[in-house]
Amino acid sequence: MFSGKRSNLALIAAGVGGAAVAGFGLSFGRDVYKKSKKNLEIILLLLAVIFCPFIGGRGLVRGHDRGVVGTIFLTVIGSVVLIAVGFCAAAFLAFEIVVMGKINPDNPLPLALLRGFAATAVMTGIGLVVGFIQRPKRLKAIAVGKANEKFLADQGFRETEGKDITHYDPDGLALRFLEAHAGRLVFMVVGRRGKRAFIDLDPDGRMIGYSGVQ
């Protein structure tokens, strides 16, 4: 695109014939647009080749807190679709490279498909490895989260949507969550100056006890 500063060439040409300058500008603009559009398409395809199989492979194994429907449609089908999108993008790019490079102009499709499959397999494999590495920590965090939800329900805690009062404790006292530390969550007791309440945590972040007002 042209900058705000006018070029001397444009000013000189404008004195000779506005139509000629306009024609040159339109032609130049079309060329820039075509090149930019082509470059954008290549960038988007490359991103699809890299990230779609990676995210799909990782999503298959990293562990999720989903029900049966969510597991089928998001974990399995969703991940497979992402891998398939990555393969299509990789095969298309490989086809363009094979044809433009005249590597195998007589029958470019098999080679393009092979290269697309190889690229997709590599990125999916990387995603699987990352997913397997993340899986234990994620499953542990999911289990702790469920245990904490049960603790709050069993204790009789109620969560609000407000900011001044974020929770009500088992005795109906209004609490405002302040901060989290290693080993405890800190609440201010609303309406009682200087009073605090705490939920104790184990080293994994699992809720193990409520202090009441202190």
Side-chain angles (χ1 to χ4, degrees), residues 110-194:
L111 182 58
L113 291 175
L114 181 62
R115 291 187 172 186
F117 176 81
T120 304
V122 169
M123 295 312 303
T124 302
I126 294 174
L128 288 170
V129 170
V130 172
F132 276 121
I133 292 173
Q134 294 177 342
R135 183 180 178 84
K137 186 175 182 179
R138 282 177 58 83
L139 292 180
K140 184 177 182 180
I142 290 171
V144 170
K146 289 183 175 180
N148 288 345
E149 289 176 0
K150 185 176 185 302
F151 172 88
L152 292 172
D154 291 345
Q155 291 288 324
F157 273 84
R158 289 181 293 128
E159 187 169 344
T160 74
E161 299 295 331
K163 294 182 179 179
D164 292 330
I165 299 174
T166 60
H167 298 80
Y168 288 98
D169 81 349
D171 297 322
L173 292 174
L175 304 177
R176 182 188 302 161
F177 176 69
L178 294 180
E179 54 191 351
H181 296 283
R184 62 174 33 181
L185 303 178
V186 183
F187 299 84
M188 182 184 78
V189 182
V190 178
R192 297 196 182 185
R193 188 179 181 86

Side-chain angles (χ1 to χ4, degrees), residues 96-119:
E96 291 280 312
I97 293 171
V98 169
V99 171
M100 291 179 62
K102 298 181 180 180
I103 299 172
N104 188 10
D106 295 330
N107 195 13
L109 185 59
L111 182 58
L113 291 175
L114 181 62
R115 291 187 172 186
F117 176 81

Side-chain angles (χ1 to χ4, degrees), residues 5-22:
K5 183 179 180 180
R6 302 191 177 207
S7 71
N8 292 328
L9 178 64
L11 294 174
I12 293 171
V16 175
V21 175

Side-chain angles (χ1 to χ4, degrees), residues 189-205:
V189 182
V190 178
R192 297 196 182 185
R193 188 179 181 86
K195 294 297 183 179
R196 297 288 185 268
F198 308 94
I199 293 179
D200 296 321
L201 309 175
D202 71 7
D204 294 327

